[in-house]
Amino acid sequence: MLLQLNIQNFAIVRQLDIEWQGGMTTITGETGAGKSIAIDALGLCLGDRAVTNVVRPNCKKAELTASFAIDNNALAKQWLEQHDISFDGECILRRVISSEGRSRAYINGSQVPLAQLKEVGQLLVNIHGQHDHQLIVKNTEQRRLLDSFANHTNLLDDVKYYYQQWRALVAELKRLEENQQQREAQRQLLEYQVKELDEFALQDDEFSQLEHDFKRFSHSQHLLSETLHTLQLLSENEQFNAVDSIRKSADSLADLSEYDESLKAISDLLQESLIQVEEASNDLRHYHDRLELDPETYQMIEERYSTALQLAKKHQVAPEQLSHYHQELVAQLNGISSDETRLANMYSEIEKAKQNYLDVANKLSLSRQKAANGLSKRITKSMRELNMPHGNFTIAVNNPCADANQEPLTSQQLNDQALSSHGLDDVSFLVSINPGQALEAMNKVASGGELSRISLAMQVILAEKVVSPALIFDEVDVGISGPTAAMVGAKLQELAASTQVICVTHLPQVACKGHQQLFVAKLTDGEHTETTVTELSEQGRVKEIARLLAGDKISEHSLANAKELLAS
């Protein structure tokens, strides 16, 4: 239940701190005093969209905080646990709105996205606005109300799931069919390209080896002559070579080291160098001996190397990437073949998805029919209790996808245009007010006051069906007066036995039913305007009820009537 609402610098409110009680709270005040301001502020705490003019003039920001007791609210506690938000018996929603329109939201001190504020808010309170009765003439709202009463959320989710699945498959089929001709042309090109590259069959990293071998063979004569010349210099020239020179120099310095030991280190270095030069000379001899000048091998390498360069240029890729490009073309060709196979199977998949949708949509239709019968009886009863003694209410659930005997059609008979994410049914609220009057659409036969009473009856019934810790009614009794108003007050008071009810009203018959009554007043000094909210004492309630009965001139008679209403 709602415990406290703190409002700072919001609209014409400078500072308000309202303590709420269980049972039924009524909010009254003069027209234009701002009776709905607390409801508007609470709506922002629950995630409503903010605009810049909500901030009090000459203030930088508005700050709104609502505290809820959640000890007995398992869904709210579960939501907070799932989102790792700590709580200790309370859920505190806070909204800060700057004068520029920027907004920040908090739950129990943790900053959260506005969407999360809205999610948890739906588990804490339901607000019924003064214009809700205007919505119930719309078929979409009528379907929503029936589904809320039926509480078949799983069926609604299943219908939406299979509808989206069917839509996705139909869209995929359309794309595949539209691209079929283009895919065929692309397939022919890819088959030619893949065949050409298959025949060449360049392996991974083969081009690097080809390039290396081509360079070696094309310069083999130069390599032979130069390596032979280097061998002569290193070790094979009888007149002079590096090996003999280093050996003689090392031996000479070794002999001289008998006279000067410092030459021994130099001699050792030359001996080490001699070993390395001899190893280099031996390796070079092996390399020279292994050099091949086979013209046939060279021709084969040259041709393959040249072909690789030509194919790379043709396909506009680097030669090193030709093998990888070949694999990509094969994958594209396989993808096109896969699309063709997919296209062949699409029709049966769409038919299956459509049948799955039809199965759950028909279950949803049956559930709606059953709920419609129960809700129609309850609303008819409430209408008669609310001073419409001859009122009758019927909910028509029409499945256009059934035959004349209301037998569901098969998926082959079903027109695709009839499918929707909310099922197959057209839901219509039909009402008659007077004896002998035929059932017709609500907006054709019900006045504004009668629509208000029917809307209130629905809200009370739905509130009983969908348990909410707090219910707020913002002038839902508009257009109602006299004995009917007393019946409306009794209905709300009856509802308050099981849940917290907060009602903004202008009717004394409703205001007197509250366990708590708040009075809203607007004060001005000529330059500034401010709204205040005061909890009325027993004597204050008598005066306020008398004002609602008689207007500004309160008489002894109106005070007596007020006391009588409160006593009742």
Side-chain angles (χ1 to χ4, degrees):
M1 61 174 280
L2 178 63
L3 298 176
Q4 188 176 39
L5 179 64
N6 181 269
I7 306 172
Q8 297 183 38
N9 302 323
F10 175 68
I12 58 175
V13 174
R14 182 179 60 82
Q15 165 74 30
L16 275 181
D17 200 356
I18 307 172
E19 301 282 344
W20 304 88
Q21 297 179 10
M24 180 173 172
T25 297
T26 56
I27 303 175
T28 61
E30 295 180 359
T31 302
K35 293 190 294 296
S36 295
I37 281 182
I39 311 303
D40 295 338
L42 183 60
L44 288 171
C45 287
L46 299 171
D48 285 353
R49 188 175 179 181
V51 291
T52 53
N53 60 3
V54 301
V55 180
R56 183 175 168 84
N58 303 318
C59 295
K60 293 182 179 180
K61 64 180 181 180
E63 190 166 335
L64 315 161
T65 306
S67 302
F68 296 85
I70 58 171
D71 284 329
N72 299 319
N73 191 335
L75 291 177
K77 290 193 287 187
Q78 181 182 358
W79 189 94
L80 292 171
E81 288 172 352
Q82 289 174 347
H83 291 80
D84 295 324
I85 298 176
S86 60
F87 60 93
D88 185 16
E90 283 191 15
C91 181
I92 301 173
L93 309 184
R94 179 167 162 255
R95 188 87 177 269
V96 180
I97 304 165
S98 71
S99 55
E100 295 84 15
R102 292 189 298 272
S103 169
R104 296 192 306 276
Y106 302 86
I107 300 176
N108 287 357
S110 300
Q111 187 167 354
V112 297
L114 193 60
Q116 289 191 4
L117 205 65
K118 186 168 289 189
E119 283 179 20
V120 74
Q122 293 173 351
L123 305 175
L124 299 170
V125 63
N126 282 333
I127 298 179
H128 302 279
Q130 55 184 293
H131 303 296
D132 281 3
H133 69 278
Q134 297 173 4
L135 293 176
I136 64 171
V137 300
K138 298 181 179 180
N139 292 107
T140 53
E141 179 67 7
Q142 291 172 1
R143 186 184 64 246
R144 188 194 68 79
L145 289 170
L146 176 59
D147 288 336
S148 295
F149 178 78
N151 199 23
H152 42 215
T153 306
N154 291 339
L155 282 175
L156 288 169
D157 290 343
D158 288 345
V159 166
K160 185 175 182 180
Y161 170 79
Y162 285 117
Y163 174 75
Q164 291 175 341
Q165 185 185 64
W166 172 79
R167 280 283 303 269
L169 289 170
V170 169
E172 184 182 358
L173 175 63
K174 184 179 180 182
R175 177 184 62 80
L176 290 173
E177 287 179 336
E178 288 176 347
N179 296 336
Q180 192 171 20
Q181 186 174 358
Q182 180 182 350
R183 281 199 311 276
E184 179 58 26
Q186 188 180 11
R187 183 183 63 79
Q188 293 178 5
L189 174 62
L190 286 171
E191 284 179 345
Y192 168 76
Q193 292 175 321
V194 168
K195 181 181 178 182
E196 183 179 48
L197 293 173
D198 281 345
E199 291 173 353
F200 185 60
L202 185 70
Q203 303 301 309
D204 291 343
D205 300 325
E206 182 185 351
F207 181 79
S208 298
Q209 187 62 42
L210 277 175
E211 189 173 39
H212 173 268
D213 292 343
F214 176 76
K215 289 180 180 179
R216 183 166 60 85
F217 271 93
S218 60
H219 297 86
S220 57
Q221 190 62 52
H222 182 61
L223 288 170
L224 277 172
S225 61
E226 285 300 314
T227 52
L228 181 61
H229 176 66
T230 304
L231 279 170
Q232 292 290 325
L233 293 175
L234 286 174
S235 61
E236 296 187 1
N237 191 321
E238 294 180 355
Q239 295 180 357
F240 175 83
N241 62 70
V243 170
D244 289 344
S245 297
I246 294 172
R247 183 182 292 114
K248 290 177 182 178
S249 298
D251 292 343
S252 175
L253 290 176
D255 292 340
L256 292 173
S257 64
E258 294 182 7
Y259 309 111
D260 186 348
E261 290 184 358
S262 62
L263 294 173
K264 180 69 169 58
I266 300 174
S267 173
D268 291 342
L269 285 174
L270 287 172
Q271 288 290 351
E272 292 175 3
S273 301
L274 177 62
I275 294 171
Q276 293 179 345
V277 172
E278 287 177 335
E279 287 180 356
S281 179
N282 290 332
D283 289 346
L284 188 58
R285 164 54 61 191
H286 292 311
Y287 173 83
H288 180 271
D289 292 343
R290 288 196 308 272
L291 271 175
E292 297 179 3
L293 296 176
D294 182 6
E296 292 183 2
T297 302
Y298 174 55
Q299 183 180 2
M300 182 187 70
I301 291 173
E302 184 181 28
E303 288 177 356
R304 191 159 179 79
Y305 178 69
S306 176
T307 303
L309 290 175
Q310 289 173 4
L311 287 172
K313 184 177 181 181
K314 180 178 180 179
H315 292 284
Q316 298 181 339
V317 295
E320 297 85 355
Q321 296 295 319
L322 191 59
S323 175
H324 179 67
Y325 178 71
H326 179 199
Q327 295 169 10
E328 287 182 345
L329 293 182
V330 171
Q332 290 179 29
L333 183 58
N334 291 336
I336 289 178
S337 300
S338 175
D339 280 350
E340 294 303 318
T341 303
R342 176 72 175 149
L343 182 59
N345 296 328
M346 282 294 296
Y347 300 99
S348 61
E349 287 192 31
I350 289 175
E351 194 61 33
K352 182 179 178 182
K354 190 174 178 182
Q355 186 60 53
N356 288 337
Y357 170 86
L358 187 57
D359 290 343
V360 294
N362 283 326
K363 289 180 181 177
L364 176 62
S365 185
L366 290 174
S367 179
R368 281 174 173 159
Q369 289 280 4
K370 182 178 179 181
N373 293 334
L375 184 57
S376 296
K377 292 176 182 177
R378 295 192 62 176
I379 293 177
T380 296
K381 180 182 177 183
S382 290
M383 286 172 62
R384 293 176 181 180
E385 291 173 349
L386 292 172
N387 209 23
M388 289 182 278
H390 303 290
N392 280 297
F393 187 91
T394 296
I395 301 175
V397 180
N398 177 37
N399 184 344
C401 301
D403 61 20
N405 298 318
Q406 288 298 305
E407 290 295 327
L409 302 178
T410 65
S411 59
Q412 291 84 1
Q413 297 170 310
L414 185 60
N415 187 340
D416 288 354
Q417 299 301 319
L419 277 65
S420 74
S421 60
H422 52 74
L424 301 169
D425 304 308
D426 292 329
V427 177
S428 301
F429 287 1
L430 307 176
V431 66
S432 70
I433 306 297
N434 303 308
Q437 185 180 41
L439 289 164
E440 291 193 56
M442 296 174 63
N443 58 329
K444 292 184 178 180
V445 296
S447 66
E450 289 165 341
L451 282 176
S452 293
R453 280 177 273 170
I454 296 171
S455 174
L456 178 61
M458 289 180 188
Q459 290 164 6
V460 171
I461 291 168
L462 291 175
E464 295 171 354
K465 187 78 175 180
V466 184
V467 178
S468 176
L471 290 168
I472 296 177
F473 296 94
D474 186 8
E475 294 195 22
V476 295
D477 50 15
V478 63
I480 298 172
S481 60
T484 305
M487 297 174 186
V488 169
K491 274 283 182 188
L492 292 172
Q493 190 180 51
E494 178 185 340
L495 184 60
S498 58
T499 187
Q500 183 184 35
V501 173
I502 298 169
C503 182
V504 177
T505 184
H506 63 282
L507 297 177
Q509 296 93 334
V510 175
C512 69
K513 298 296 184 181
H515 304 94
Q516 175 189 34
Q517 185 171 346
L518 304 178
F519 177 71
V520 181
K522 184 167 64 175
L523 306 176
T524 180
D525 59 3
E527 295 183 2
H528 303 93
T529 302
E530 185 174 335
T531 290
T532 63
V533 177
T534 307
E535 182 175 357
L536 295 177
S537 64
E538 194 65 31
Q539 185 177 359
R541 292 191 70 181
V542 172
K543 290 183 179 179
E544 173 60 7
I545 298 297
R547 185 192 68 80
L548 292 173
L549 285 167
D552 292 335
K553 295 181 180 180
I554 300 175
S555 65
E556 291 296 327
H557 182 66
S558 60
L559 286 170
N561 285 342
K563 290 178 181 178
E564 185 178 352
L565 277 176
L566 285 168
S568 67

